[in-house]
Amino acid sequence: MRSRDVRRVVLAVFVTFVSAPLWAQSTDPPAPPEQTPAEQTPPEQTPPSPPPSPEPPAAPPPTEVPPGAAGAGGPSGPLPTYGPASSKVFNPDIAVIGDFLGAIGKNNSDRATPSLELHEAEASFQAIVDPYARADFFLTFSPDEVGVEEGFITFTSLPANFLVKVGKMRASFGKANQMHNHVLPWTDRPLVTQDLVGGEEGISDAGVSVSRLFPNEILFLEATAEVYRGESPELFRAPTRGDLTYVGRLRGYRDLTESTNLDFGGSFAQGHNDAGPSFKTRLWGADLAFRYRPLRRAIYRRLILRTEAVWSRKELEGGVVNAFGAYVSGEYQFARRWFGGVRLDRSDRADRPDRQDQGLSALLTYWPSEFSQVRGQYRYTKYANGIKANELLCQLLFSIGAHGAHTF
Amino acid sequence: MRSRSTILALGALLAASLPDAARAAGPLNVVTTTEDLASIAREVGGDKVKAESLSRGYQDPHFVEAKPSFVLKLNKADLLIAVGRELEIGWLPPLVTQSRNSRIQPGGDRYLDASLTARILEIPTGQITRAMGDVHPAGNPHYWLDPENGKRIAKAIEGKLAAISPGDASYFSQREEDFEKRVSDAEKRWVATMAPSRGTKVVTYHRSWPNFAERFGLDVIGYVEPKPGIPPSPSHTLELIQEMKRQNVKIIMVEPYFDSKTPNSIARETGAKVLVMPPSVGGEKEITDYIALFDYDIRLVVDAIKQAGAK
């Protein structure tokens, strides 16, 4: 029964995304290409020119390399049609982000971080694949492993407001699970992530994600359904092929005023856990974020209040264990380069709901420029086994290469 | 289990029943990244288009938040017009990816980069690095502040609109000609008003004004920002004050979205006047369209030059 369902699911997803590009192709014939990037500086027109009569468009000039590219090590002059130089223009946007972490203070738990480490170096490669898709790769190099944090193709030209991603991805479960380390508003991940949602890696697996937008006048509404292989370290195990992980998410968003908005969602995840072949873990999540950013002072002021709660139901040898965890966090930008923040943490351990981790953090962040960031986090943690830790965590983030977009 | 199959079946049904929209005939939905482009699109499109800007005129167009509500606007767009030259690189690409609108994707036939036919200044030559601040490798994106470029943008929009609805081509062409004529007439007036002050030395906060300065004969001798995107530093501010005193600079032009604290203290030291100059339509209530933008800014500059009595 179950495997037949699984097959049906996989088939439906497959049909959706295989047929769609063809469809897009047939309904939207590829239009003639946009004007070739013409000369950068067309000849000056004299200001009081008479209304021009419709003149025949000039023949498009050959593709010129923008003058700035020449000095930056790129080719110059008209591009050759063949040869190694022409492939350079199609190179993906490349960026590398360094995440350097330091820790001072006492932490005798098994979760203590080293005094100094290059916690992660993330290389990103992003480009358009063809008229129907784009691809994004994020490779991470951490002290003891090299991995593909994410590597997926996104089909952007599907009909009926669908968006399909295929590859290895961070699953759309809540908010923090989708964030890469360098966009977190903290130096670490909340306790609830570590205890219930798979630690730093989180729910991150190979699979297919289908999401649909439901346009309406009242709010932004997006539903996402995902199927994964079933292997997320610390959380899901797939002893057999049919033991897939399923993730679903419904996200809403609404502007309250031009400066304030509300972002909310509910998530669900299910997969097999490591307790045995027939034991499952189910997670439910709820998240809410309020943002304030006055448009006139957008580069100087902002306030973000966010919270996320996760309920876990884990089947174990001795029965079902229910656990709950949540965090509440606030960040306030008080100057162009300065942010302050607070986070409250609380989470049961997934196997031992009678044991609870608790934490409190205060943060201060400084932005020398858009491309680097210094952050200090004072963290007090009371671990489930009674160990108490008082730490100062310091982080230096720096990025080189292509200018990435800021996630919302 | 069964419910999941049902949901997927429903999804497949939806996919089948809603092919990419026989969008109702009516005004074309034009979405622009800035209010200047929206204003020009309205001039050209008349009542055949409904143009809406994602950012506001009093907002820094480099730092717009990629709000999901913008995804909804892009989802319905018949045409997306961007300033280009990487002005929107920090926020537009993810919105376009999520828009589920195949036609406005990069390379799509409903995407217009308004900079392609414009006169672009400050295209870097030689090696560029981020040591120079947040430089725009494809040139200065504030090119709409030259009315000649406004006309070029209008022409490009006309071409695009005519391609989208060929039946209205003559309507767009006639409106575009009318707009060009009105801009040209106004430009003669602006240039004449500015003529006595040609060569006036000014300082600006960000490098937003090279096209404006070139067209109307202002001489930008320095910037409050030490480098593009880097906030003012004490040492740079001191150097700037000395340079302004040496060259007798009496005007500081500040975009409305920047903090006026440093410009004000520079003004106190040098006796210069701080002008809060909106670089975009909507930057002030009375700046309702592209021509009114120059009317407002030119009046501001001319009055200030008269008051300061400086050249």
Side-chain angles (χ1 to χ4, degrees):
Chain A
M1 176 65 197
R2 202 194 57 211
S3 65
R4 205 174 57 221
D5 271 328
V6 166
R7 235 172 287 144
R8 212 180 306 163
V9 168
V10 172
L11 192 73
V13 168
F14 182 75
V15 167
T16 311
F17 87 83
V18 162
S19 63
L22 301 171
W23 197 340
Q25 212 164 354
S26 60
T27 52
D28 292 301
E34 190 43 41
Q35 294 142 284
T36 20
E39 321 139 278
Q40 305 294 334
T41 51
E44 262 300 61
Q45 291 167 359
T46 42
S49 59
S53 53
E55 55 199 28
T63 309
E64 293 278 340
V65 177
S76 61
L79 291 172
T81 316
Y82 299 105
S86 69
S87 67
K88 276 188 191 166
V89 273
F90 296 116
N91 276 348
D93 290 339
I94 300 172
V96 184
I97 299 175
D99 175 1
F100 190 83
L101 269 182
I104 308 170
K106 204 179 98 183
N107 187 340
N108 294 327
S109 79
D110 54 353
R111 291 190 188 165
T113 48
S115 58
L116 293 168
E117 67 169 337
L118 180 63
H119 185 65
E120 187 178 277
E122 178 185 298
S124 65
F125 302 85
Q126 301 174 284
I128 309 287
V129 176
D130 58 22
Y132 316 108
R134 60 169 290 127
D136 299 82
F137 289 89
F138 303 94
L139 311 180
T140 51
F141 305 81
S142 58
D144 39 32
E145 61 175 351
V146 173
V148 179
E149 174 155 33
E150 292 194 285
F152 57 87
I153 181 168
T154 308
F155 294 96
T156 51
S157 298
L158 304 182
N161 293 317
F162 278 104
L163 193 70
V164 170
K165 297 201 278 182
V166 181
K168 178 165 192 266
M169 295 164 284
R170 289 190 150 272
S172 303
F173 183 89
K175 284 282 184 198
N177 191 68
Q178 300 184 57
M179 292 182 191
H180 289 197
N181 281 340
H182 60 91
V183 296
L184 289 171
W186 323 287
T187 67
D188 60 347
R189 289 193 179 256
L191 290 173
V192 56
T193 304
Q194 296 176 27
D195 288 341
L196 304 180
V197 201
E200 183 159 314
E201 290 247 1
I203 309 174
S204 173
D205 201 354
V208 177
S209 164
V210 179
S211 77
R212 187 175 192 271
L213 189 67
F214 294 89
N216 63 77
E217 296 303 316
I218 305 160
L219 79 169
F220 169 95
L221 190 64
E222 185 185 52
T224 308
E226 302 179 334
V227 183
Y228 292 100
R229 187 182 103 181
E231 290 280 348
S232 288
E234 300 179 38
L235 188 63
F236 296 132
R237 279 287 135 76
T240 71
R241 248 188 211 172
D243 298 332
L244 302 175
T245 296
Y246 300 95
V247 176
R249 175 166 169 80
L250 193 64
R251 181 193 181 195
Y253 168 94
R254 190 174 151 78
D255 284 320
L256 301 175
T257 66
E258 69 167 26
S259 327
T260 54
N261 54 65
L262 218 48
D263 196 355
F264 45 93
S267 312
F268 170 75
Q270 172 186 302
H272 286 255
N273 65 36
D274 50 11
S278 57
F279 296 107
K280 283 181 189 163
T281 294
R282 290 194 178 91
L283 300 174
W284 288 266
D287 56 270
L288 176 68
F290 168 81
R291 286 181 180 80
Y292 162 71
R293 197 172 180 190
L295 297 189
R296 274 172 208 275
R297 284 280 165 268
I299 57 175
Y300 302 101
R301 281 286 173 285
R302 79 184 82 167
L303 172 71
I304 304 172
L305 300 174
R306 51 181 126 209
T307 180
E308 214 172 322
V310 177
W311 292 264
S312 158
R313 190 180 155 81
K314 187 173 184 181
E315 294 169 1
L316 292 170
E317 208 72 63
V320 173
V321 175
N322 290 303
F324 170 78
Y327 69 83
V328 181
S329 168
E331 300 120 55
Y332 181 65
Q333 181 184 16
F334 54 91
R336 183 156 183 190
R337 294 168 142 173
W338 290 94
F339 295 75
V342 184
R343 191 184 73 205
L344 283 168
D345 269 326
R346 196 207 108 140
S347 182
D348 302 331
R349 297 258 167 134
D351 303 354
R352 301 283 309 269
D354 53 323
R355 292 205 161 175
Q356 197 176 77
D357 294 318
Q358 291 179 347
L360 169 67
S361 290
L363 296 108
L364 187 65
T365 305
Y366 174 69
W367 279 3
S369 76
E370 246 193 286
F371 307 98
S372 62
Q373 174 185 296
V374 186
R375 176 172 285 157
Q377 175 174 3
Y378 164 75
R379 184 175 74 183
Y380 170 76
T381 318
K382 200 171 125 202
Y383 289 104
N385 49 14
I387 295 175
K388 289 177 186 170
N390 260 308
E391 295 161 283
L392 181 63
L393 306 165
C394 304
Q395 182 187 42
L396 182 59
L397 276 175
F398 45 99
S399 90
I400 55 172
H403 190 311
H406 307 272
T407 48
F408 181 73
Chain B
M1 271 302 166
R2 197 177 303 154
S3 65
R4 192 156 49 228
S5 318
T6 317
I7 289 170
L8 273 157
L10 269 175
L13 257 176
L14 270 169
S17 60
L18 295 173
D20 205 13
R23 281 186 169 87
L28 288 173
N29 238 324
V30 177
V31 176
T32 67
T33 55
T34 67
E35 294 206 47
D36 312 284
L37 295 176
S39 169
I40 298 175
R42 273 180 217 117
E43 297 280 3
V44 178
D47 52 15
K48 309 268 187 216
V49 309
K50 198 174 132 283
E52 191 181 2
S53 164
L54 296 180
S55 69
R56 300 274 77 88
Y58 42 79
Q59 189 178 5
D60 187 337
H62 301 83
F63 299 99
V64 175
E65 266 190 315
K67 294 181 191 177
S69 46
F70 293 159
V71 171
L72 289 179
K73 293 185 198 259
L74 291 173
N75 178 256
K76 291 184 295 188
D78 295 309
L79 173 63
L80 167 64
I81 310 174
V83 173
R85 305 287 154 171
E86 300 204 345
L87 179 74
E88 303 100 339
I89 194 165
W91 55 278
L92 190 61
L95 290 174
V96 170
T97 299
Q98 291 171 55
S99 71
R100 278 91 164 162
N101 185 342
S102 61
R103 304 173 306 171
I104 62 164
Q105 300 298 322
D109 59 335
R110 299 296 179 84
Y111 174 81
L112 177 65
D113 178 335
S115 75
L116 292 182
T117 51
R119 180 174 148 74
I120 305 299
L121 301 177
E122 298 182 352
I123 296 174
T125 51
Q127 178 76 46
I128 57 168
T129 77
R130 294 245 166 81
M132 302 160 171
D134 194 3
V135 284
H136 290 283
N140 192 304
H142 303 272
Y143 60 86
W144 69 86
L145 284 161
D146 175 354
E148 286 300 312
N149 275 340
K151 293 193 273 184
R152 293 186 186 114
I153 296 168
K155 193 82 195 155
I157 294 177
E158 184 216 323
K160 204 63 173 175
L161 292 176
I164 295 172
S165 57
D168 296 318
S170 58
Y171 173 81
F172 296 136
S173 151
Q174 180 227 322
R175 286 196 63 98
E176 195 276 336
E177 279 173 32
D178 176 63
F179 173 69
E180 274 206 31
K181 187 170 172 311
R182 279 183 291 128
V183 172
S184 297
D185 291 347
E187 190 179 332
K188 272 186 246 171
R189 196 174 72 233
W190 297 324
V191 169
T193 318
M194 288 289 290
S197 346
R198 272 199 103 74
T200 300
K201 289 176 174 158
V202 300
V203 160
T204 72
Y205 195 104
H206 179 71
R207 291 173 186 259
S208 307
W209 306 93
N211 295 79
F212 185 88
E214 183 195 56
R215 175 63 50 202
F216 300 112
L218 296 176
D219 182 6
V220 182
I221 66 120
Y223 306 94
V224 177
E225 283 181 334
K227 285 167 181 176
I230 304 287
S233 66
S235 63
H236 173 77
T237 302
L238 278 178
E239 281 169 33
L240 186 66
I241 288 172
Q242 273 158 23
E243 191 58 25
M244 285 176 70
K245 281 182 176 162
R246 204 174 62 76
Q247 301 201 35
N248 195 26
V249 179
K250 293 296 177 202
I251 308 273
I252 307 172
M253 289 158 51
V254 181
E255 298 80 347
Y257 38 79
F258 287 119
D259 200 353
S260 51
K261 207 174 87 193
T262 310
N264 281 337
S265 70
I266 296 174
R268 272 196 302 278
E269 288 293 317
T270 57
K273 190 172 162 53
V274 173
L275 300 187
V276 178
M277 289 261 289
S280 280
V281 173
E284 284 293 337
K285 265 214 181 79
E286 57 195 282
I287 308 178
T288 50
D289 61 35
Y290 186 70
I291 292 178
L293 170 66
F294 290 94
D295 279 336
Y296 185 95
D297 282 347
I298 297 275
R299 193 173 62 237
L300 210 60
V301 173
V302 168
D303 287 353
I305 292 175
K306 269 189 204 143
Q307 271 182 33
K311 177 161 170 130

